[in-house]
Amino acid sequence: MISDEIRRLHELHQAGALTDAEFEQAKAKVLAGERVNLSKNGGSAGYNTGASGFETQLRALRRSRRDRWLGGVCGGLNGVMGIETWVWRLVFLLFTLITSGFGALVYLLMWIFVPEE
């Protein structure tokens, strides 16, 4: 739907993934009925036709300010993937216990490298 495409473009623009000019260009294409994909095509200013939904979700990932116990990583994953926050917390806990702490390292790296919303 057009409204979904424009909402995703707005989210990317707010997150800093799109410049003002890129946002306006992509919005104009959506309103004109063209299909706009949100992955950059190498060094060109245009967009390619092979954007995956996962890639778009990954770019939109931000740590949550509202839904957090420690760093907001699980709340941010909830916002992007749509899986409840408690499930992500359980996944990280089980991953940490099963892999002798590697899950905690992954969480820590995400806390450091994923920007806050």
Side-chain angles (χ1 to χ4, degrees):
M1 295 181 72
I2 291 175
S3 61
D4 292 334
E5 290 286 328
I6 291 176
R7 182 178 42 81
R8 283 188 293 190
L9 287 171
H10 179 70
E11 289 171 0
L12 286 173
H13 182 249
Q14 292 292 335
L18 293 174
T19 65
D20 292 339
E22 290 171 331
F23 172 69
E24 292 301 327
Q25 181 184 13
K27 187 170 73 168
K29 285 184 178 183
V30 168
L31 292 174
E34 296 179 34
R35 174 104 173 109
V36 175
N37 290 310
L38 303 174
S39 69
K40 297 270 184 164
N41 182 13
S44 72
Y47 293 90
N48 70 20
T49 57
S52 68
F54 180 73
E55 182 180 343
T56 304
Q57 288 177 337
L58 203 57
R59 287 184 180 179
L61 179 61
R62 299 289 183 262
R63 291 184 294 123
S64 175
R65 288 184 182 178
R66 297 175 312 277
D67 188 8
R68 67 187 317 164
W69 279 3
L70 291 174
V73 172
C74 294
L77 288 169
N78 171 29
V80 172
M81 302 292 187
I83 299 173
E84 293 293 326
T85 306
W86 68 268
V87 174
W88 284 112
R89 290 181 180 127
L90 183 63
V91 166
F92 275 108
L93 176 66
L94 292 175
F95 191 49
T96 299
L97 294 174
I98 292 170
T99 61
S100 302
F102 187 69
L105 178 65
V106 170
Y107 186 91
L108 180 65
L109 290 173
M110 289 182 75
W111 189 351
I112 293 169
F113 291 109
V114 173
E116 194 171 51
E117 62 182 5

